[in-house]
Amino acid sequence: MSSASAAAPSNALRSFEAQWSKRTPDTIAPVRAQAMQKFLQLGLPTSRDESWRYTNLRALDSTPFVDAPRRDRGEIEPSASVALLDASQRAATIVMVNGYPWLQTIDSVINDIEVSTLREMYNLDPKAMLRFLDPLSDADERRFDLLNTALFVDGLYLKVTKNVTTPLVILHVGIGTEDEQSVAYPRIVIEATPGASAVIIEHHVSQGLRSPLVNSHTHLEIAHDARLEHYRVFATGPNAAHIDSLNVRQHENSHLKQFTIALGGGMVRAGLDCQLARSGAEIENYNLLVGYETRHVDCVNVVRHSAPRTKSSQTARAIASDSSRVIFNSKVIVNQGAAHAESQQSSRGLLLSQNAEIDSRPQLEIHADEVKCSHGATTGRLSPEMLFYLLSRGLDRNEAQSLLVFAFLADVLTGMSLASARTSIENALISQLPDSQLLRNFR
């Protein structure tokens, strides 16, 4: 039975339909129309839908939304974000405001990466754009993919054709309107050609008292023998709501190292859908999810092994304090024909207050023989044994607790190849945790 109600459409659905009616038809209009029709038919997901059981969207469902306006780049406040990279990295930054790219150069190559807008792509070569539009799905975890496909106006296409030695940062800035609740639809396509490699960071921030709802979508297409290191860092304000989809398709002997870091936002829903489509494809996925005050962080990962000798590993570390809630929901599917696939899932949660909550749900679905798959999940408070050990070495209780929390964070951060990004993320995380000054002393 569909999750959509038989009752009259909600305020949100009516507003999304109104946005659709105002869109000017373009070269990919048939696919957009199918996506919109399917979305309206299915409706917004509810807690009855399997992958949304921990996240209630009732407040969004009752809100009428308008399109987030196109803003001038000059309106971005200098304090909109903390730089993740220092000057020594020589990284370039591309700014997107409410889903609209602002390219600082007329050159089509930035940091040895070919760059163009999605509007240019679908106007000049719609067949190329259609290659990167994911199949329309009824799955509840893909619901907002449909909405983004129907309503995105512009975005970025990045083509990596060589071994790029310096990172590229995409700074997503969300700026709302004063009187109405707006919604933005950022969309990114990143293609790595055979043998190419790069490090790309997507950094999501917001400014102003009223942030737009952000429904962002990124597609990674990684050809054979290509390597990508991809970061998505959520650092929006406490009133911001963000629903992000990361869809990945990997080919023979490709490698992806992916980091999902939740630093801010009132509600963050981060989805990953990765298909290991060819033999030898491998993904390393790291998730650092921090809840504090009343924030809600929901991370849902699906990894599909569709070819022999594919590998996946997922590492999640969740910390929740105050009355926050953090969810890590991970599923690995090993399809028929994916012999000798290897998969590992590790989820650990650390509760720092009585009212905080962490939900962890690793899952395996195996349809092939001769595979090696494992998963594990633990949630609890600081280890009394480790705390006693540190106290016996002369540390006071606050120092010992802070040191254990810092060690817990390191499991994810040590995998980062960019030292300055790791330092910036560590500083931002530490500032949100109890005894932050003590934690800084241990860095």
Side-chain angles (χ1 to χ4, degrees):
M1 183 175 180
S2 169
S3 63
S5 172
S10 66
N11 288 336
L13 288 180
R14 284 196 296 268
S15 66
F16 296 142
E17 190 171 16
Q19 292 172 36
W20 166 251
S21 66
K22 295 177 183 178
R23 292 290 194 268
T24 302
D26 53 37
T27 59
I28 57 172
V31 176
R32 291 185 184 275
Q34 293 174 29
M36 194 68 206
Q37 182 180 13
K38 188 177 289 290
F39 175 79
L40 293 174
Q41 177 186 359
L42 296 170
L44 287 175
T46 72
S47 57
R48 294 189 299 272
D49 291 300
E50 185 64 24
S51 75
W52 293 86
R53 61 189 300 183
Y54 303 108
T55 299
N56 191 332
L57 297 180
R58 191 173 302 163
L60 296 184
D61 201 26
S62 62
T63 303
F65 292 94
V66 299
D67 276 305
R70 183 165 187 160
R71 299 281 191 174
D72 183 79
R73 192 177 185 278
E75 297 181 49
I76 301 175
E77 299 170 0
S79 60
S81 70
V82 176
L84 291 180
L85 302 177
D86 58 32
S88 65
Q89 298 285 171
R90 304 188 309 280
T93 298
I94 302 175
V95 177
M96 290 186 67
V97 183
N98 290 344
Y100 295 92
W102 289 93
L103 299 178
Q104 296 176 299
T105 174
I106 60 174
D107 195 347
S108 61
V109 177
I110 300 176
N111 264 31
D112 289 328
I113 297 175
E114 297 178 16
V115 180
S116 62
T117 67
L118 292 185
R119 186 195 289 268
E120 291 173 335
M121 175 183 282
Y122 66 69
N123 282 337
L124 298 176
D125 189 358
K127 289 184 178 180
M129 184 72 229
L130 291 173
R131 288 176 50 223
F132 303 115
L133 292 181
D134 299 290
L136 304 182
S137 171
D138 289 346
D140 56 80
E141 69 268 17
R142 304 290 294 273
R143 197 69 49 83
F144 282 88
D145 293 16
L146 297 172
L147 187 62
N148 184 287
T149 296
L151 295 178
F152 84 91
V153 176
D154 205 351
L156 282 173
Y157 168 60
L158 309 180
K159 188 173 183 179
V160 184
T161 60
K162 58 181 69 175
N163 293 322
V164 180
T165 58
T166 55
L168 177 67
V169 179
I170 303 171
L171 179 62
H172 296 269
V173 183
I175 307 176
T177 57
E178 293 184 3
D179 302 324
E180 298 177 290
Q181 180 60 58
S182 59
V183 56
Y185 304 99
R187 195 173 186 104
I188 306 291
V189 174
I190 302 171
E191 180 182 14
T193 61
S197 64
V199 177
I200 297 175
I201 299 173
E202 294 191 65
H203 189 188
H204 295 271
V205 301
S206 62
Q207 70 181 49
L209 296 177
R210 184 188 284 259
S211 301
L213 166 66
V214 176
N215 173 17
S216 54
H217 180 99
T218 297
H219 178 93
L220 304 182
E221 188 79 21
I222 309 176
H224 67 81
D225 299 309
R227 303 178 67 87
L228 280 184
E229 185 168 334
H230 175 267
Y231 296 68
R232 52 178 174 172
V233 181
F234 302 100
T236 52
N239 297 319
H242 195 139
I243 300 172
D244 181 79
S245 302
L246 175 61
N247 289 356
V248 182
R249 188 161 58 226
Q250 293 186 233
H251 297 273
E252 188 173 7
N253 296 325
S254 64
H255 185 274
L256 172 64
K257 182 182 283 190
Q258 200 284 317
F259 295 89
T260 295
I261 311 293
L263 297 175
M267 191 279 283
V268 175
R269 160 80 177 208
L272 166 67
D273 193 305
C274 175
Q275 182 171 3
L276 302 173
R278 295 290 183 268
S279 175
E282 180 177 0
I283 179 174
E284 297 177 62
N285 169 247
Y286 300 89
N287 307 270
L288 186 49
L289 314 172
V290 178
Y292 62 97
E293 296 178 347
T294 60
R295 68 186 303 222
H296 184 97
V297 181
D298 186 358
C299 184
V300 178
N301 291 353
V302 179
V303 176
R304 309 172 194 274
H305 291 255
S306 300
R309 294 180 295 281
T310 49
K311 294 183 180 180
S312 68
S313 64
Q314 298 179 66
T315 302
R317 297 295 178 260
I319 301 177
S321 60
D322 303 318
S323 58
S324 63
R325 187 175 189 181
V326 178
I327 302 103
F328 181 70
N329 190 348
S330 168
K331 186 174 186 178
V332 170
I333 303 171
V334 182
N335 292 315
Q336 290 184 355
H340 305 291
E342 296 183 19
S343 169
Q344 183 178 13
Q345 301 172 74
S346 170
S347 174
R348 294 174 58 196
L350 181 59
L351 292 166
L352 299 181
S353 73
Q354 294 289 338
N355 296 324
E357 182 175 346
I358 295 175
D359 300 284
S360 184
R361 192 179 179 217
Q363 304 166 71
L364 283 171
E365 184 178 314
I366 301 174
H367 305 282
D369 297 325
E370 299 184 76
V371 300
K372 184 178 180 181
C373 299
S374 64
H375 62 72
T378 60
T379 297
R381 306 191 186 281
L382 291 173
S383 167
E385 293 80 8
M386 291 300 300
L387 186 60
F388 176 79
Y389 176 82
L390 293 178
L391 293 175
S392 69
R393 293 300 184 270
L395 295 174
D396 67 34
R397 180 169 293 272
N398 285 340
E399 289 177 331
Q401 290 176 337
S402 298
L403 184 57
L404 289 175
V405 170
F406 187 73
F408 185 84
L409 300 176
D411 281 353
V412 169
L413 298 176
T414 51
M416 295 180 175
S417 67
L418 301 175
S420 59
R422 175 182 172 178
T423 300
S424 297
I425 290 170
E426 282 179 349
N427 288 335
L429 288 169
I430 287 171
S431 68
Q432 299 169 8
L433 297 173
D435 303 319
S436 58
Q437 188 55 52
L438 288 173
L439 282 169
R440 288 190 177 89
N441 294 336
F442 289 110
R443 292 190 63 253

